[in-house]
Amino acid sequence: MGGVNQSVTSDFLLVGLCSHSGSCPLLFSLVAAMFIVGLLGNTVLLFLICMDPRLHTPMYFLLSQLSLFDVGFPLVTIPKMASDFLQVESSITFGGCAAQIFFLTLLGVAEGILLALMSYDRYVAVCHPLRYPVLMRRQVCLLMVGCSWTAGVLIQTSITLHFPYCVAGMLNASIQTSITLHFPYCASHTVDHFFCEVPALLQLSCADTSAYELALSISGVLILMLPLSLIAISYGHVLRAVLRMRSEEARHKAFTTCSSHITVVGLFYCAAVFMYMVPGAYHSPQQDNVASLFYSVITPMLNPLIYSLRNREVRMALVKLISRSGLRPK
């Protein structure tokens, strides 16, 4: 071992949100409420898109995939955090930690790429409306969604195989992963985070992680900045086209639809850039917890509200569903 103090325990200890807050029950209740609201909101949005024929369009198909990601994100972290709080037990096994890292990275990369593809959809709809049925036909939409998932899998597999803690990583056809973690880490197994995230875990390693941290920063630039560049270019063209529109109604509709997407992009990317592109020396564990809470719970909760409240078609589909269920008098 060369005098390095290493441990053979199979568990990590998650510090959680309560270590930085004096009102743990209140904080837990708030997070649980946001988790439930987000889960219900995204489920309802998925159901509406599936059931209402007026929402069977490319834009809503992509939006349904975003809702699917927003259902998965909180499910990876919040149930474990709730279990730790209720049982006063905050340990997590190597396998559990590996699963969280895998699925969070998979969903995060896939959602980032999906948001860029959604901006392309808006670009085609506004700038090339006559060619929209051809450019955004069903096969293209399926290819877009497949690319977002595949990119997430490939990037996550690469990260897993080069992760300093990990000796082997295997991904099967059903995106199941069997990961064996063998890595050098210091005597402390306390992760100053409420779930297993790469930046927090890197601080526990006894090995020199500078090369991996550099690779992580470079991959962060590629994963985050390339989609952001596509989004900026797409909406640059959209803005120019909208300003040229003579119809006030058409201009208002385009602004409403695109502003909803831009809001979602801002919420997701601001937190992700803070976590993976700002050097760790410039933010504290408390700030990391807030940023992670933002993109893993708050953003998935807000997305369905943003699209439902600002989107006339979704509101009409919801009213129609409520009327059919008999909850509203005819």
Side-chain angles (χ1 to χ4, degrees):
M1 296 281 183
V4 177
N5 185 14
Q6 293 180 313
S7 176
V8 293
T9 184
S10 60
D11 293 345
F12 287 114
L13 185 66
L14 299 175
V15 171
L17 293 171
C18 295
S19 63
H20 305 298
S21 173
S23 54
C24 191
L26 177 61
L27 182 60
F28 172 75
S29 300
L30 183 61
V31 172
M34 290 189 294
F35 169 70
I36 294 171
V37 170
L39 199 61
L40 289 175
N42 283 291
T43 303
V44 169
L45 190 56
L46 274 168
F47 182 76
L48 290 176
I49 293 173
C50 211
M51 297 301 295
D52 196 313
R54 292 173 298 182
L55 302 183
H56 293 174
T57 64
M59 183 184 80
Y60 290 109
F61 175 70
L62 297 176
L63 180 56
S64 70
Q65 298 304 304
L66 179 64
S67 292
L68 191 61
F69 293 148
D70 286 341
V71 168
F73 248 116
L75 287 176
V76 176
T77 58
I78 303 305
K80 171 59 180 170
M81 189 189 77
S83 174
D84 292 343
F85 175 80
L86 296 175
Q87 299 179 11
V88 197
E89 172 63 41
S90 57
S91 65
I92 184 170
T93 64
F94 274 23
C97 199
Q100 283 194 338
I101 293 172
F102 179 85
F103 287 110
L104 284 171
T105 307
L106 169 64
L107 292 170
V109 172
E111 181 165 338
I113 294 174
L114 180 67
L115 289 173
L117 296 175
M118 290 174 71
S119 72
Y120 171 76
D121 169 75
R122 291 300 84 206
Y123 160 73
V124 175
V126 174
C127 299
H128 304 283
L130 297 180
R131 300 175 61 192
Y132 185 79
V134 176
L135 294 177
M136 292 300 297
R137 59 191 181 275
R138 182 172 178 79
Q139 294 89 335
V140 174
C141 292
L142 292 173
L143 181 61
M144 283 181 166
V145 172
C147 286
S148 67
W149 279 102
T150 303
V153 170
L154 291 177
I155 292 173
Q156 175 52 35
T157 303
S158 176
I159 289 174
T160 299
L161 292 174
H162 293 87
F163 192 34
Y165 302 166
C166 189
V167 166
M170 185 177 293
L171 182 68
N172 62 21
S174 61
I175 318 181
Q176 298 286 335
T177 184
S178 175
I179 302 175
T180 305
L181 295 175
H182 299 286
F183 61 93
Y185 58 93
C186 299
S188 174
H189 305 274
T190 303
V191 182
D192 200 353
H193 212 58
F194 67 96
F195 63 86
C196 288
E197 192 161 29
V198 173
L201 286 173
L202 284 175
Q203 299 176 11
L204 302 181
S205 177
C206 287
D208 181 12
T209 61
S210 57
Y212 177 73
E213 290 180 28
L214 178 60
L216 191 64
S217 298
I218 294 173
S219 65
V221 171
L222 295 175
I223 294 169
L224 295 173
M225 297 311 295
L226 287 181
L228 269 177
S229 300
L230 177 59
I231 292 169
I233 293 171
S234 297
Y235 279 109
H237 288 289
V238 168
L239 180 60
R240 185 173 60 181
V242 168
L243 292 176
R244 291 178 178 176
M245 290 180 179
R246 296 181 179 181
S247 170
E248 184 68 28
E249 181 181 354
R251 189 184 299 116
H252 175 73
K253 182 178 180 180
F255 266 125
T256 301
T257 304
C258 294
S259 62
S260 298
H261 183 237
I262 292 173
T263 303
V264 171
V265 168
L267 291 172
F268 178 82
Y269 274 100
C270 283
V273 167
F274 178 83
M275 279 297 298
Y276 288 96
M277 290 187 63
V278 177
Y282 293 95
H283 46 89
S284 65
Q286 295 94 320
Q287 293 172 327
D288 290 345
N289 273 290
V290 172
S292 297
L293 188 66
F294 201 88
Y295 68 73
S296 64
V297 180
I298 298 176
T299 301
M301 177 197 69
L302 292 177
N303 284 352
L305 297 177
I306 291 171
Y307 279 106
S308 61
L309 294 177
R310 297 178 62 88
N311 194 298
R312 183 172 176 268
E313 287 84 0
V314 175
R315 292 199 305 269
M316 289 177 62
L318 182 59
V319 170
K320 183 180 177 181
L321 176 65
I322 295 174
S323 300
R324 284 183 174 181
S325 64
L327 298 177
R328 177 178 173 179
K330 297 182 179 180

